[in-house]
Amino acid sequence: MTWRLLRAPALLVFPLALLAGACTERLETADGCPLLCPGQTLEIRDTILDPAYVFDTTLAPFPITGAESPLLLVSRGDTLDVRPIFRFDTLARVFTPVGDTARPVTMVDSVTLTVRLIRTPLKVPQTFFVDAYDVTDTSLVDSLPSTLIPLFTAGRLLGSKQIDSATFLDTMTVQIPLDTAMVRAIVTSPNAPLRIGLRLRSTESGAFYVASNEDLTDAFRPRLRYRVSPDTVIAAANISPRSGSPVTPLHVAGDYNDYTLVADAPDIRRATTFAIGGLSAARTYMRFDLPRFLTDSTAVLRASLELVQDPVYGLDEADSVVIRPQMVLAGHAITDLNRAARLLAREGTFVTDSLRVAPGDSGIVSLEINGLFRAWRKDSGLPDIPSAIVLRSDNEGFSGFGARFFGMNAAPALRPRLKVSYVLNIKFGQP
Amino acid sequence: MRRALVLSALVAVLPGALAAQGGLSVQGFGYPTGQLGTGSLALGGALAEVDPSSAINPAAVGLSSRFSIYMQLEPEFRRTTVNGASDKSTTIRFPGFLVTGGVRRFAASISATTFLDRTWRNVYSDSQLVGGTMVPSTLLASSNGAITDTRVAASYWINPKVQVGLGVHALVGENRTEFGRSFPDTTGIGSVTQFTTISYSGRAVSAGVVYFPVKSVSVGASLRQGGHLEARQDDAALAKANVPDRMGLSIAYTGIPNTTLAARYEHTSWSEMKGLGTAQMSVFDANDLGLGMEVVGPKVAGAPSFARLGVRSRTLPFGANGDQVSERAVSGGIAIPFARGRAQADLTLQRATRSGAGASEKAWFLSIGLGIRP
């Protein structure tokens, strides 16, 4: 009887044990601190590195010539003039009628250049013209502005297309009729190339993107089209840009299928400063020589790269440009800094901060780069690379905006400084 | 059953599980559980020197010469109050596992009991001066682990009135700590985190006696002599000190039928651990006084059941903000045999109050002990 009375409480021990074992543990408390939480202070030290780094230089152009996509077509009076160039170094000079043998092209008719225009943030002019010029020059330096710009003459005008803003929405495929006789003369001359430069003409400022030969949509890519026979059964020649030069180095000719020619743009570079953006777009390369204890023996909480901005006037100085720092991944073996400035860690890796400034701004701006200190540790797991970053613009190659800052050779009050807050040693664990 | 025992053994030797810092009881190297069995805890620790389930007096091992296994589970529900603000926290400990057996006049025991439980986690927001600017910050600090007292003890009946024992202790364990500060993303300030492991190794010997001067009185006394105790941080030597010496005395009176009255006093020289901590750590020698009463209840399956009551007053070794912390507790419990007397379940509920440094702490302990004599 007694056992029966006590059996229930005895058996209760086991569910109680299970219940206790399954208790939800409450871990995080705060109210007892800091009175009951000794040893949890963090000694943060501050230091300023002045100058912040040991080397800076401004590099251009970015993107490299021929890598622009889309291309730019801009006319802004005497401030900015940008023209896309298309090379048709391989033309259709032979055709094969149906049921017949191949024969040379002797007739050229209905010649058009088709390009896709895309609007930019700039207002579309009321009326504007897209003029196409024959800018063929077989010299090896025909991509240089000084060589090409003189070729935009009335005598070399192949054709023109007038467009009204009322008919232009966000994008528009434009067929520019070209002078048949001029093109026929080229097509019928053995091995003669045809290189076409476009120019925007208007009484107002205008700017458009032009789909390049690298555009993902085939129908948007530039095309040269001409009929080779009066017989409409025979298909018209439909030719994509293709460059045959330069022959060396290898694989570079393809970059010149189409590219952007900056005919006129403000040069934002100046002595004792470095520049970012503009046209042709510039990047700034900075190399640091940080004290080893800062990268290897401390935890860096804050590393603010303070820059003093030098205003750039004359072109959209009130608009904003976003500048991002990116860590250079190129090793010590790469001594060509233009190339090193293209081998970068992905945007937002190691450094997430960016600057949004207007070209006409002045004063001190600050970039947080503490993540780089961890990447530049000896034991970070990354290969041995220089402690370098590149500052680049988000609108690189698409906009004439640029910003300028005083560099390490400027007066002491103006040159960049690096303000570092770090923890030398966390003394936690031993009560 | 065998598998269940193995699992239980594994669980029992784990250090104390998670708790929260910001508590009075987890200062310094942690909370001293007292190494009491569930039954002794119910009596305020009063019978600990004559309790084979409490890994204190090696002579008491012989009081249970039959092969037996004892294990404990002990959750603590704690509320700490500082300046009117309260924090609740829950700790679950597995503070003891003992195996005991004997032949004729000899008995031996192997045990692993929690010596100091230093497991807590603390997260709070404050502001931190970085580069001349005060910025909001979140601090995280935690410690997980304990120092475990692993003891091998043997006892011998000299005559029916006197039993002596000797114990060899290895104190081992580690605290895995984390400390970090993080800042809001908008500040752009990087966070810092440090993970470190402090491991401990030490040794001690203990000796004890259980004496029955008259039929209704039993006396248990023991001493522990501490040897070196070393702390290493991430395998580098950190500090050296000594395992604290300890002495304790229990007196039990069984002159009243079916009733045991007991008292115990213990003194531990915790200050011998001073060199193991930083100069900021405050450590005090501690006294522990317990009074208890056990009443035999009705027989269950041929074995007696027990009801227990106790009070306890002690000081804790590690101070809060320089002040010594005191603890007072009231406890009660039952012990019920089952499986035809081959097993016994102990259940103890203890209410403890602690105070020191202007803060107070109240805690409920639920201690569940399971003894098996196959």
Side-chain angles (χ1 to χ4, degrees):
Chain A
M1 180 62 190
T2 310
W3 164 234
R4 283 183 184 174
L5 282 173
L6 290 175
R7 189 164 53 184
L11 294 174
L12 192 62
V13 170
F14 298 102
L16 269 174
L18 286 174
L19 187 68
C23 280
T24 304
E25 290 157 329
R26 292 173 60 95
L27 310 178
E28 296 175 2
T29 59
D31 289 334
C33 298
L35 179 70
L36 302 179
C37 309
Q40 296 183 2
T41 53
L42 199 60
E43 187 191 349
I44 297 174
R45 299 185 183 188
D46 300 314
T47 188
I48 296 175
L49 303 181
D50 185 6
Y53 48 81
V54 292
F55 174 75
D56 68 30
T57 185
T58 300
L59 306 165
F62 289 96
I64 58 168
T65 303
E68 314 94 334
S69 184
L71 307 166
L72 269 181
L73 175 62
V74 183
S75 173
R76 299 186 63 178
D78 57 0
T79 309
L80 195 60
D81 184 357
V82 186
R83 309 168 190 182
I85 307 291
F86 303 97
R87 287 183 173 183
F88 299 96
D89 288 3
T90 304
L91 296 168
R93 292 191 163 88
V94 176
F95 73 101
T96 307
V98 178
D100 205 342
T101 55
R103 62 186 64 180
V105 173
T106 54
M107 190 210 97
V108 173
D109 194 17
S110 307
V111 188
T112 57
L113 174 68
T114 306
V115 292
R116 180 84 171 174
L117 297 188
I118 305 153
R119 72 178 300 164
T120 65
L122 203 66
K123 180 176 172 287
V124 175
Q126 194 79 28
T127 301
F128 62 97
F129 297 86
V130 179
D131 297 335
Y133 290 87
D134 173 11
V135 292
T136 308
D137 182 333
T138 53
S139 73
L140 290 177
V141 290
D142 63 353
S143 61
L144 292 177
S146 56
T147 308
L148 279 172
I149 292 167
L151 302 179
F152 284 82
T153 59
R156 285 176 168 263
L157 184 66
L158 287 168
S160 188
K161 179 76 175 180
Q162 178 183 340
I163 302 165
D164 295 322
S165 63
T167 60
F168 190 92
L169 300 175
D170 285 344
T171 62
M172 183 179 194
T173 299
V174 177
Q175 279 193 333
I176 307 167
L178 302 185
D179 186 285
T180 302
M182 292 175 75
V183 176
R184 185 190 302 126
I186 295 166
V187 170
T188 54
S189 301
N191 301 323
L194 172 59
R195 295 175 176 180
I196 300 174
L198 296 187
R199 184 178 185 182
L200 183 67
R201 178 161 52 89
S202 174
T203 55
E204 307 167 57
S205 288
F208 297 92
Y209 300 125
V210 181
S212 75
N213 201 38
E214 288 80 40
D215 198 283
L216 294 175
T217 306
D218 182 63
F220 294 167
R221 295 174 190 162
R223 287 286 187 275
L224 177 68
R225 188 176 183 278
Y226 53 87
R227 299 207 60 79
V228 294
S229 167
D231 183 356
T232 54
V233 175
I234 296 171
N238 200 353
I239 300 165
S240 298
R242 184 172 177 189
S243 174
S245 62
V247 177
T248 55
L250 290 173
H251 313 303
V252 172
D255 288 344
Y256 288 86
N257 292 338
D258 53 15
Y259 59 95
T260 298
L261 167 70
V262 180
D264 191 12
D267 186 1
I268 63 172
R269 285 171 283 189
R270 207 172 72 175
T272 73
T273 66
F274 60 81
I276 300 122
L279 279 174
S280 298
R283 292 181 179 182
T284 291
Y285 178 99
M286 294 175 174
R287 187 182 297 141
F288 296 79
D289 184 15
L290 300 168
R292 187 51 68 191
F293 82 94
L294 273 180
T295 54
D296 289 8
S297 307
T298 64
V300 173
L301 297 176
R302 170 175 272 176
S304 302
L305 178 61
E306 286 191 351
L307 307 172
V308 180
Q309 191 174 355
D310 184 23
V312 176
Y313 300 113
L315 183 69
D316 302 324
E317 60 252 23
D319 279 333
S320 63
V321 56
V322 175
I323 294 169
R324 294 184 194 280
Q326 285 179 257
M327 191 177 84
V328 175
L329 292 178
H332 295 281
I334 298 177
T335 52
D336 176 358
L337 294 184
N338 247 11
R339 177 174 289 190
R342 299 199 299 270
L343 295 170
L344 305 176
R346 280 183 64 145
E347 201 175 286
T349 313
F350 304 116
V351 195
T352 55
D353 199 11
S354 61
L355 290 177
R356 181 179 286 275
V357 296
D361 284 349
S362 60
I364 297 174
V365 293
S366 178
L367 265 176
E368 186 52 53
I369 59 169
N370 66 68
L372 292 167
F373 283 70
R374 281 183 275 271
W376 289 335
R377 289 177 80 104
K378 278 282 184 203
D379 61 353
S380 68
L382 289 171
D384 185 21
I385 51 174
S387 303
I389 62 169
V390 158
L391 301 182
R392 54 178 291 268
S393 157
D394 263 7
N395 296 330
E396 195 171 72
F398 301 135
S399 158
F401 304 170
R404 188 167 59 207
F405 302 90
F406 290 99
M408 61 170 293
N409 295 319
L414 299 173
R415 67 191 180 196
R417 297 192 308 169
L418 188 58
K419 296 171 85 169
V420 183
S421 299
Y422 62 96
V423 178
L424 192 58
N425 189 11
I426 300 175
K427 293 173 182 170
F428 183 75
Q430 187 183 18
Chain B
M1 184 61 186
R2 181 173 293 173
R3 180 179 293 178
L5 288 177
V6 171
L7 284 173
S8 301
L10 288 173
V11 167
V13 295
L14 288 174
L18 298 168
Q21 208 226 10
L24 278 172
S25 52
V26 288
Q27 299 293 311
F29 286 97
Y31 180 69
T33 61
Q35 299 170 272
L36 302 178
T38 299
S40 285
L41 189 70
L43 282 99
L47 270 181
E49 297 287 346
V50 289
D51 175 18
S53 303
S54 299
I56 290 179
N57 184 353
V61 169
L63 297 172
S64 174
S65 58
R66 194 170 150 188
F67 179 73
S68 63
I69 297 168
Y70 191 80
M71 62 196 84
Q72 280 173 267
L73 168 66
E74 204 166 278
E76 180 189 357
F77 308 91
R78 191 163 54 209
R79 177 196 287 268
T80 307
T81 304
V82 179
N83 296 329
S86 291
D87 254 336
K88 284 183 180 176
S89 56
T90 302
T91 304
I92 297 177
R93 298 191 180 97
F94 300 92
F97 179 79
L98 295 90
V99 178
T100 309
V103 178
R104 296 179 184 168
R105 291 185 170 199
F106 289 96
S109 166
I110 299 174
S111 63
T113 53
T114 302
F115 183 66
L116 287 167
D117 174 21
R118 191 179 176 216
T119 304
W120 44 262
R121 184 178 172 86
N122 184 212
V123 180
Y124 61 96
S125 299
D126 65 357
S127 295
Q128 175 78 47
L129 190 67
V130 182
T133 310
M134 287 299 283
V135 287
S137 162
T138 300
L139 188 145
L140 185 154
S142 72
S143 170
N144 197 347
I147 300 176
T148 298
D149 179 1
T150 306
R151 187 192 71 171
V152 177
S155 73
Y156 178 72
W157 281 103
I158 294 174
N159 59 51
K161 287 190 171 184
V162 180
Q163 185 173 352
V164 292
L166 195 64
V168 179
H169 303 250
L171 282 89
V172 293
E174 64 179 26
N175 300 150
R176 294 172 298 281
T177 66
E178 178 185 359
F179 180 80
R181 242 185 211 283
S182 57
F183 300 88
D185 289 346
T186 49
T187 64
I189 301 173
S191 56
V192 287
T193 305
Q194 180 208 48
F195 295 93
T196 188
T197 299
I198 298 179
S199 55
Y200 305 93
S201 62
R203 58 181 185 266
V205 292
S206 60
V209 60
V210 175
Y211 177 49
F212 299 94
V214 292
K215 188 180 176 184
S216 55
V217 175
S218 57
V219 178
S222 66
L223 291 166
R224 182 182 64 213
Q225 178 66 45
H228 289 303
L229 178 60
E230 184 184 13
R232 298 178 70 81
Q233 186 162 21
D234 297 327
D235 294 330
L238 180 69
K240 285 183 179 175
N242 286 318
V243 174
D245 295 341
R246 186 195 66 80
M247 55 84 57
L249 173 73
S250 281
I251 299 173
Y253 175 69
T254 53
I256 303 169
N258 294 328
T259 303
T260 303
L261 299 174
R264 172 174 170 260
Y265 171 75
E266 184 189 74
H267 177 83
T268 308
S269 303
W270 291 103
S271 55
E272 293 181 53
M273 284 182 71
K274 175 74 178 170
L276 213 58
T278 61
Q280 285 72 41
M281 183 182 78
S282 53
V283 56
F284 303 90
D285 292 343
N287 296 313
D288 188 346
L289 182 65
L291 300 171
M293 178 176 73
E294 182 178 76
V295 179
V296 178
K299 283 195 172 182
V300 179
S305 63
F306 299 94
R308 296 158 175 158
L309 279 175
V311 291
R312 187 182 186 191
S313 175
R314 65 169 176 162
T315 50
L316 299 184
F318 302 107
N321 210 20
D323 282 1
Q324 188 165 23
V325 179
S326 61
E327 180 184 81
R328 287 187 170 77
V330 180
S331 51
I334 55 170
I336 298 170
F338 59 97
R340 298 181 185 277
R342 289 180 177 274
Q344 178 170 300
D346 292 327
L347 186 65
T348 294
L349 189 65
Q350 186 191 62
R351 177 65 162 169
T353 28
R354 303 169 191 130
S355 60
S360 65
E361 194 166 273
K362 293 185 176 178
W364 285 104
F365 280 87
L366 178 64
S367 182
I368 299 163
L370 179 65
I372 299 167
R373 293 182 289 273

